[in-house]
Amino acid sequence: MSPTRRTTRRPLARRVPRAAALAALLVSLTACGGPGTWDRAGMPEGVTKEAGIVQTLWNGAWIASLAVGVVVWGLILWACAFHRKRKNTGDALPPQVRYNLPIEILYTTVPIIMVAVFFYFTARDENIITAVSKNPDVKVHVEGFQWSWRFTSEYGGKTVSVVGTPAKRPVLVLPQNKSVQFDLTSPDVAHSFWVPAFLFKRDVIPGVKNVFEIHTLNKQGEFAGRCAELCGVDHSRMLFTVKLVPQAEYDQYVNSQAGSAQ
């Protein structure tokens, strides 16, 4: 008869520090991102007034979530370390706590308060971000189609139209420090107009005219845009570029291109 093998398990108190060390290692690895990983929580750098509002809401949500996580993780580790099964207790259950009214009130009211706070700040910021004015500086009609974009800009009584193809992405030129209103339509399927530097995207839906407005385009340069809704075989090539230029350069651009289709 072969001897009986006895298996032993490490005490839970020894396993908890290793789990904590592994969690710390995983958190530290998230610091290997690019610039702005911590101050923007992984978001790209925004170039609009509305992007700053979105970034603040995003950061606040992360701070609140991490605070809740620390409390929950702390309670779990505390329970594992100090309320694990003891050798001298046999199969006896630890003292059970039931119908503790203060604790039940606590874990009912605290989540309600947290959700209410999240809802308030989200609703407040959403109202600001989605607000549109009657007289923006520039109006841009965006038409998403399979599989590119048509941009028709109206400024100072003049119109400039730009049409792209999957092989040649269109360039939407906009002036710095001006309000720009976008109205979005589609003649075929659902698309989504997304410029990551705006920290905002909006669906382009057939039969529906979606509108949004941005202010204070405060950084000169070129910024990538794309369709964020799977719309067909060439969805990945449905790209465009937003170019932000000084006011004088934009005036020259409009005067030279007004009435023509690029």
Side-chain angles (χ1 to χ4, degrees):
M1 181 180 294
S2 61
T4 303
R5 294 184 59 186
R6 298 185 60 187
T7 59
T8 60
R9 298 178 62 185
R10 292 193 184 100
L12 185 57
R14 295 182 183 177
R15 299 201 302 271
V16 169
R18 290 192 177 186
L22 179 60
L25 175 62
L26 293 175
V27 171
S28 66
L29 290 176
T30 62
C32 299
T37 298
W38 291 110
D39 58 343
R40 296 195 299 273
M43 296 279 269
E45 183 177 0
V47 296
T48 68
K49 171 187 173 183
E50 290 75 15
I53 298 173
V54 173
Q55 185 68 69
T56 301
L57 182 64
W58 177 256
N59 290 346
W62 267 108
I63 292 172
S65 300
L66 288 174
V68 173
V70 168
V71 173
V72 173
W73 297 332
L75 291 173
I76 291 174
L77 294 176
W78 174 75
C80 292
F82 296 101
H83 292 276
R84 65 188 187 277
K85 184 178 179 181
R86 307 292 180 180
K87 292 182 179 180
N88 57 357
T89 59
D91 294 331
L93 292 174
Q96 303 297 298
V97 178
R98 298 176 181 174
Y99 308 113
N100 189 308
L101 186 60
I103 293 179
E104 291 180 5
I105 293 176
L106 180 67
Y107 65 60
T108 301
T109 57
V110 169
I112 291 176
I113 294 173
M114 292 172 57
V115 171
V117 171
F118 274 122
F119 177 83
Y120 167 76
F121 285 106
T122 301
R124 182 200 64 180
D125 292 348
E126 182 180 2
N127 289 335
I128 298 174
I129 293 168
T130 58
V132 294
S133 61
K134 293 183 179 179
N135 297 300
D137 297 317
V138 183
K139 287 186 177 181
V140 180
H141 174 65
V142 178
E143 183 180 357
F145 57 89
Q146 293 178 313
W147 286 274
S148 193
W149 304 88
R150 178 182 289 105
F151 303 120
T152 304
S153 303
E154 298 178 8
Y155 174 75
K158 299 179 180 179
T159 302
V160 177
S161 182
V162 180
V163 184
T165 67
K168 184 179 180 181
R169 66 183 66 180
V171 179
L172 174 60
V173 181
L174 296 174
Q176 291 179 266
N177 302 318
K178 296 292 183 180
S179 61
V180 182
Q181 188 176 109
F182 298 85
D183 63 84
L184 315 172
T185 60
S186 170
D188 41 48
V189 299
H191 304 280
S192 183
F193 180 83
W194 182 34
V195 181
F198 292 175
L199 304 192
F200 185 87
K201 62 182 176 181
R202 174 136 289 184
D203 287 344
V204 186
I205 304 173
V208 177
K209 183 178 179 180
N210 282 333
V211 181
F212 74 97
E213 189 170 324
I214 57 176
H215 300 80
T216 316
L217 297 160
N218 53 21
K219 186 176 182 181
Q220 185 175 338
E222 295 186 358
F223 304 92
R226 56 182 60 92
C227 176
E229 184 77 26
L230 184 59
C231 58
V233 64
D234 274 336
H235 161 71
S236 62
R237 302 176 66 194
M238 198 168 168
L239 308 173
F240 63 93
T241 300
V242 174
K243 183 177 181 180
L244 304 183
V245 299
Q247 183 63 50
E249 184 176 342
Y250 185 73
D251 291 336
Q252 183 179 2
Y253 166 78
V254 171
N255 292 330
S256 63
Q257 301 296 333
S260 63
Q262 300 179 46

